[in-house]
Amino acid sequence: MKISLRAGERIYINGAVLRVDRKVSLELVNDVMFLLEGQVMQASDATTALRQLYFIVQLMLINPTDIRDASALYAQHHSALVAVCESREMLEGLAAADELVETTRYFEALKRIRALFPVEQAILAGAATDSPSEAA
């Protein structure tokens, strides 16, 4: 896999953070877990339940040598989301993401979770319009 980075951009590879000082192309010649800087969610951006799940999986990908705590947190958070979710699309997406996490395909799981962000936003927007204060 070939990746091009701009000057100052970061890439997270198997727990290491690399920052390049000039435009560079990298060729990853073996199987590694990586995230580009633009795909990394900051803790302050994990403002919804689904974004928090994304952040937890991201931790598992960024630090693959120590995922025990993150795995336990993921299992709890995922179960809680499934328990309260009524949207079929959301439940199917969470199940697919869970299968990917179980097989340590964290990058693909992140993509699957990220695809659910608009669904969650629509659910939250619907909940906001159904609040008692707005019905009065």
Side-chain angles (χ1 to χ4, degrees):
M1 170 174 276
K2 198 169 198 173
I3 299 171
S4 296
L5 301 171
R6 295 181 302 270
E9 195 170 14
R10 293 182 184 139
I11 184 169
Y12 301 77
I13 301 176
N14 284 357
V17 181
L18 306 170
R19 186 179 61 192
V20 297
D21 62 353
R22 63 184 68 103
K23 185 177 178 181
V24 66
S25 291
L26 301 173
E27 184 175 359
L28 304 174
V29 295
N30 62 344
D31 191 23
V32 298
M33 289 195 240
F34 73 94
L35 272 180
L36 298 173
E37 185 173 17
Q39 298 165 325
V40 174
M41 179 181 291
Q42 300 301 314
S44 60
D45 294 328
T47 56
T48 66
L50 194 60
R51 288 176 181 270
Q52 291 166 1
L53 189 70
Y54 181 97
F55 187 78
I56 295 165
V57 175
Q58 173 185 285
L59 292 175
M60 296 165 73
L61 187 143
I62 288 176
N63 193 5
T65 59
D66 184 23
I67 64 163
R68 189 179 50 161
D69 291 342
S71 291
L73 186 58
Y74 167 82
Q76 292 172 348
H77 201 76
H78 183 270
S79 294
L81 266 171
V82 169
V84 299
C85 190
E86 297 176 358
S87 162
R88 179 181 171 138
E89 184 178 4
M90 183 69 80
L91 288 170
E92 288 174 357
L94 288 170
D98 194 46
E99 287 179 24
L100 293 166
V101 167
E102 289 298 318
T103 57
T104 67
R105 295 171 52 198
Y106 304 126
F107 184 78
E108 291 91 348
L110 289 174
K111 285 177 27 180
R112 189 66 183 101
I113 294 168
R114 201 169 35 246
L116 293 172
F117 286 173
V119 177
E120 181 189 45
Q121 198 59 42
I123 291 169
L124 293 174
T129 59
D130 293 339
S131 67
S133 63
E134 293 194 16

